[in-house]
Amino acid sequence: MILLGIGSNLSSLSHGHPLATCKAAVEAINCENVAIVKCSCWYRTAPVPPSDQPWYVNGVAVLETALSPGDLLTFLQRLEHRFGRVRAVRDAPRILDLDLLAYGDLVRQEKPVLPHPRMSNRGFVLVPLGEVAPGWHHPVLGKTVEILIEELPFRNLSGQVEPI
């Protein structure tokens, strides 16, 4: 199972509000080389780390593709660029953020690092992931998405991860 995190917290000239940008990204991802099998609901989420930047819209999609992890990452980064993302500063606000979260049970330390190294402590990833892939097991930690959600430092996610 290939898992993709989708997020936005800046409006774009071509798509408008971050929610519209995320929905347009889903349509753009679904092409001849990549198929979206399932997409979560969209969630309004607090920025991580906490800051005064706008809240995000986040979701998770399940993909199917014959592309290698590296080729898939290249495709996703080109799409981010096409949507207007500029990579200047880490954790900066962004028009579109596409994160390759997991590629089956593959574990890699080189780019792309898999599974995503910070996904297990991010409610904005785990909550929508639990929606599209209940029972999913983290290939390194060996824990289900449900257990990872329970182990989050802030178990009460209301106010941090809210369905739209």
Side-chain angles (χ1 to χ4, degrees):
M1 179 177 311
I2 301 170
L3 300 170
L4 176 70
I6 304 165
S8 173
N9 74 335
L10 294 178
S11 293
S12 75
L13 293 175
S14 56
H15 302 288
H17 186 274
L19 178 59
T21 298
C22 289
K23 289 179 177 181
V26 167
E27 289 180 26
I29 291 165
N30 207 23
C31 66
E32 64 186 59
N33 294 326
V34 182
I36 294 191
V37 176
K38 193 172 190 180
C39 191
S40 71
C41 294
W42 298 105
Y43 293 83
R44 181 177 178 266
T45 64
V48 175
S51 71
D52 61 352
Q53 64 179 273
W55 279 45
Y56 280 80
V57 171
N58 284 105
V60 170
V62 177
L63 308 179
E64 284 183 355
T65 185
L67 294 175
S68 69
D71 289 342
L72 179 57
L73 180 64
T74 298
F75 166 75
L76 296 171
Q77 289 177 338
R78 284 185 187 143
L79 189 60
E80 287 176 333
H81 181 72
R82 194 173 93 209
F83 271 67
R85 173 152 184 197
V86 176
R87 291 179 181 269
V89 179
R90 184 180 170 123
D91 297 323
R94 56 204 68 162
I95 289 173
L96 181 62
D97 187 25
L98 300 173
D99 286 331
L100 185 54
L101 301 172
Y103 194 101
D105 289 334
L106 189 60
V107 177
R108 293 172 48 124
Q109 296 305 314
E110 67 275 0
K111 192 174 180 178
V113 176
L114 293 168
H116 189 287
R118 293 174 301 283
M119 71 180 287
S120 62
N121 59 9
R122 292 183 167 173
F124 65 86
V125 170
L126 296 175
V127 171
L129 172 57
E131 181 185 328
V132 295
W136 176 80
H137 281 80
H138 191 287
V140 173
L141 302 176
K143 298 176 180 181
T144 65
V145 64
E146 292 81 7
I147 290 172
L148 292 171
I149 291 170
E150 287 177 18
E151 292 178 350
L152 286 169
F154 304 107
R155 286 187 185 160
N156 179 3
L157 295 173
S158 64
Q160 297 174 12
V161 179
E162 303 169 349
I164 294 178

